Each structure stands twice: as C-alpha cells, then as structure tokens.
Amino acid sequence: MRVIPPSELIINADGSVFHLHLKPGQLSDKIILVGDPERVSSVASRFDSIECEVSNREFHSITGYFQGKRISVVSHGIGTDNIDIVLNELDALVNIDFTSRTVKEIFTQLTLVRIGTSGGLQHFVPVGTYVAAERSIGFDGVLYFYANNKNTRDVAFEEELLSQLDWKISEIRPYVVAADKSLIEQITSNDILKGVTIAANGFYGPQGRELRLPLADPELNKKIELFNYNGAQITNFEMESSSLAGLSAMMGHRAMTVCCIIAGRVDKKMNTDYKESLPILIDKVLNRI
C-alpha cells in the first residue's frame, strides 16, 4: 500500500491539514462552499448550533447543525487553483488515514454545493436569476494535470465549442464537465435555472473585460452568446465550477455550483449590492442539501 510522503500531504503539527487547518473528524460529509470567508459566517448564522470554527488565510470553516443535519461551510477564495487546494484537502480529511498516510479502505463520499456570484451571458438570465451549472466549461487547465481526465470530460461538446467559437487562444483548450446529476435534481427546482457555466481563469481579460490591455479575441463574448449545442446555450461566467465538478467526479464525490447572477454582461447592468440577493439562495441550499 502506498504511503503518501510528508511533502505530498502536508500535516500541521496539531494534526490538521496544511491549508484548511481542519482536523479529521471536524468535517461533515455535507459541505457548502463559498468564495468569501465572511460569507461562511453568514451561512452558519442560520445553524442551530456550532461544533467548530477554524480560519487560516482565505480558508474559513464552520461545522454545525441545521435542522438536524450536520453541515460544514468552507470558503475557498477565488479561482479554480484554490478549488484544487480545497477539494484535495477535503477529500484527504475523510479518505486518507493521517497516522499511516495511506488511503482508507472504506471510501467516504462528500456532497459539495458551491454558492457563488456570476455574470449572466443571455437576455433570459437577467440580474437576480439563480443558475445551477449543469455543465461547466473550464477556461483553466487544472483538470489536465490529473490522469484519466478524459473519462470525465464531454469531448464532443468541447469539439463543438472550439468550432463555434472559432477558438483563437491556442495555448489553452477549454474542457467541459458535468455536475453530479442526482445533486442537481436534489438542489434545483423551478426556482433555479439549469445552465452551462464558463469557469474563467481570470476576472478581466478571460471574461472579455477590456481595460488597458487589448484582448486576444475581442469577439469571443459575442460568439459565446451565440453558441448553441443541441439546445444548450452558455448562460454565465464565474471562476470555480469547472475544477469543482471535474475533480469531484474523478474522486467520486457529488458536487455542483449554483450562482446568483449579479452582472448582466449583455445589457451591461451590474448589481453591486448583490449581498442582498444571496440570503434567499443560501436558505434554498441549506434546506435541500
């Protein structure tokens, strides 16, 4: 049996995992992920009781009980690279024995729902809409560093994407992954739209925002708006859903992302007071997870 060396799985002196500072046993198998560390407290304010709270850097975690359900809320910061850190450490906490540094014989499956904010890319996805990423398009390259990633990806969708977008950024190949179908059905209803979400690897250029630097493909967002594959249109931009869905599927976990649309990229509208829009979505997820 492979023993994972200290340089690969870093365990702090107190027995906690390196970045999250959580210890085995402090994590529920039901996890709500949020980007903002302060949003962890907002979600946990609805708990009936708090079991533990841990903070390190942008990673803030609270485990407690909501209506009899043990739930953990964990912040991941911004970007798919942070998801790589958080998801690997969450998986390690339940599926690796920290004493022997070996993979446990009995697998523990996690259920992860990311609650985020997003920019809408269609007129039918106005500001205030809730969108679940039934599929995610990764503009990042995280998944490509893991073996057998092709088994998780929708290669046919990827090929159509490259063709319709006349993809000009040859250094990056977008990948397409699906969220866990059973979890999508569990969390969504007629009040949450099922969509196709792009996880961009940046906020400005990768999402078509032009400030001082010119864009490699100024027409990319327009082509994204027009994309249609078997009736599927691209609904929104955010920055984490692809690596969350892809890595979770490869690990055997159930995961999805649901976002509140706070920016209308088509009509150029922006809701900077989006924090008023999130409580309703948080309540929906807490009641359904």
Side-chain angles (χ1 to χ4, degrees), residues 105-118:
E105 291 185 5
I106 299 176
F107 171 71
T108 297
Q109 184 181 64
L110 300 175
T111 294
L112 308 109
V113 179
R114 187 182 102 72
I115 300 175
T117 55
S118 185

Side-chain angles (χ1 to χ4, degrees), residues 70-288:
R70 186 172 183 253
I71 299 174
S72 293
V73 191
V74 180
S75 64
H76 53 70
I78 298 175
T80 53
D81 50 344
N82 269 22
I83 294 294
D84 178 71
I85 291 171
V86 171
L87 192 54
N88 272 285
E89 294 194 0
L90 292 177
D91 177 75
L93 284 164
V94 296
N95 287 310
I96 296 175
D97 186 311
F98 276 27
T99 301
S100 66
R101 294 182 166 275
T102 59
V103 176
K104 294 179 180 178
E105 291 185 5
I106 299 176
F107 171 71
T108 297
Q109 184 181 64
L110 300 175
T111 294
L112 308 109
V113 179
R114 187 182 102 72
I115 300 175
T117 55
S118 185
L121 292 169
Q122 303 291 344
H123 288 293
F124 61 84
V125 190
V127 169
T129 306
Y130 300 133
V131 179
E134 193 168 28
R135 288 191 188 92
S136 292
I137 299 169
F139 280 5
D140 63 291
V142 169
L143 229 62
Y144 293 128
F145 287 86
Y146 294 91
N148 305 314
N149 63 78
K150 201 169 185 178
N151 297 335
T152 301
R153 293 162 36 213
D154 187 336
V155 177
F157 198 116
E158 292 174 6
E159 294 297 337
E160 190 65 26
L161 192 72
L162 293 172
S163 174
Q164 288 194 36
L165 299 188
D166 184 24
W167 190 254
K168 299 182 183 302
I169 307 169
S170 59
E171 296 83 359
I172 298 173
R173 178 192 168 97
Y175 63 87
V176 179
V177 290
D180 183 86
K181 186 176 180 180
S182 66
L183 186 58
I184 288 283
E185 295 304 316
Q186 178 180 331
I187 298 297
T188 64
S189 186
N190 56 8
D191 52 358
I192 297 177
L193 177 71
K194 298 174 187 175
V196 178
T197 298
I198 291 176
N201 55 351
F203 184 77
Y204 290 96
Q207 294 188 37
R209 291 183 172 94
E210 185 172 355
L211 302 185
R212 287 204 315 115
L213 295 178
L215 301 175
D217 184 357
E219 299 300 313
L220 181 57
N221 273 20
K222 189 63 180 178
K223 291 182 285 186
I224 287 171
E225 292 168 28
L226 296 174
F227 177 84
N228 191 309
Y229 177 53
N230 295 333
Q233 294 176 267
I234 299 171
T235 49
N236 58 313
F237 266 131
E238 52 87 75
M239 296 180 65
E240 291 86 18
S241 62
S242 58
S243 59
L244 175 61
L247 293 177
S248 294
M250 293 170 74
M251 292 176 178
H253 301 305
R254 305 167 72 226
M256 64 169 286
T257 292
V258 58
C259 288
C260 177
I261 301 299
I262 65 169
R265 299 301 305 279
V266 178
D267 56 17
K268 310 298 183 185
K269 292 182 179 179
M270 176 68 195
N271 175 20
T272 55
D273 194 25
Y274 64 86
K275 291 184 179 179
E276 297 300 318
S277 304
L278 282 174
I280 296 173
L281 181 57
I282 290 170
D283 289 338
K284 291 179 188 296
V285 173
L286 278 171
N287 281 296
R288 297 171 186 177

